[in-house]
């Protein structure tokens, strides 16, 4: 596993930039999870206070002590930590059957057979013929929430291999885009009585997708078009 990028560190927390493809926590069949590898890198045990999906990259907070972990888990639960995401999707989301450049998605998310409420806010930042760039914030923090909501709204995230459009994913691989195009790119946290804002550039796989928003596979007659969007 490559060294994890450290964005910020104080006596309580470390803000890191997690790479795509890295599992946050260990378990059966999981090699080199973040919690173990980062502990080795830092030379002491680190404690998770929230998570990102394995294939999602970007900013995370980890704690340096159990006491700090308890504090920051509570702060995240109280929504004092604001996480913002960037996604590249096929098309643009539909709200109430209409393609939209801004809105809120509220479909419930299933977990262990239960229907859980979920809220995802989105704004289309850039739109091409095939793909669009979305800025997203969460009203709730359900597992795979962004991925599920965007897929249900007709704008699956590029290279989402669980909830996305597998045919489109296969086509877009021909443009060299092979990694889930979702990243936590901005994080606002309370520090020393102020709000500290951390922001990272798009990871390389998202940069590549952004450069190819108009890409179409015309060699075999297959095209991917975004929804008609009334701006």
């Amino acid at each position: 596993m490559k060294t994890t990028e450290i964005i910020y560190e104080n006596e309580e927390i470390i803000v890191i930039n997690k790479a795509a493809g890295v599992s946050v926590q260990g378990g059966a069949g999981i090699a080199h999870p973040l919690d173990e590898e980062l502990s080795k890198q830092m030379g002491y045990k680190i404690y998770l206070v929230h998570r990102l999906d394995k294939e999602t990259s970007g900013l995370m907070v980890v704690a340096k002590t159990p006491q700090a972990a308890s504090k920051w888990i509570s702060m995240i639960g109280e929504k004092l930590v604001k996480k913002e995401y960037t996604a590249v999707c096929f098309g643009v989301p539909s709200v109430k059957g209409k393609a939209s450049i801004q809105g809120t998605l509220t479909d419930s998310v299933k977990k262990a057979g239960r229907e859980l409420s979920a809220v995802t806010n989105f704004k289309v930042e850039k739109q091409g013929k095939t793909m669009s760039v979305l800025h997203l914030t969460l009203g709730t923090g359900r597992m795979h929430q962004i991925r599920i909501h965007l897929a249900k709204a007709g704008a699956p995230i590029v290279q989402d291999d669980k909830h996305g459009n597998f045919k489109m994913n296969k086509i877009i691989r021909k443009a060299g885009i092979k990694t889930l195009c979702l990243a936590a790119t901005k994080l606002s946290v309370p520090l020393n009585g102020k709000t500290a804002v951390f922001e990272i550039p798009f990871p390389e796989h998202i940069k590549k997708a952004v450069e190819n928003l108009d890409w179409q596979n015309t060699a075999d007659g297959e095209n991917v078009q975004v929804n008609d969007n009334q701006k």
Side-chain angles (χ1 to χ4, degrees), residues 95-135:
V95 178
K96 296 181 179 178
K98 182 178 179 181
S100 305
I101 60 170
Q102 188 170 355
T104 300
L105 305 174
T106 57
D107 284 323
S108 61
V109 173
K110 280 188 177 181
K111 183 178 180 181
R114 297 168 55 212
E115 295 279 348
L116 302 175
S117 62
V119 177
T120 302
N121 305 299
F122 73 88
K123 182 179 181 181
V124 177
E125 299 284 355
K126 192 173 182 180
Q127 182 179 341
K129 293 179 181 178
T130 302
M131 296 175 283
S132 59
V133 182
L134 271 62
H135 172 264

Side-chain angles (χ1 to χ4, degrees), residues 64-79:
K64 301 171 78 170
T65 66
Q67 294 79 13
S70 179
K71 172 183 173 180
W72 282 83
I73 288 170
S74 295
M75 290 169 64
I76 290 169
E78 294 168 6
K79 295 183 169 55

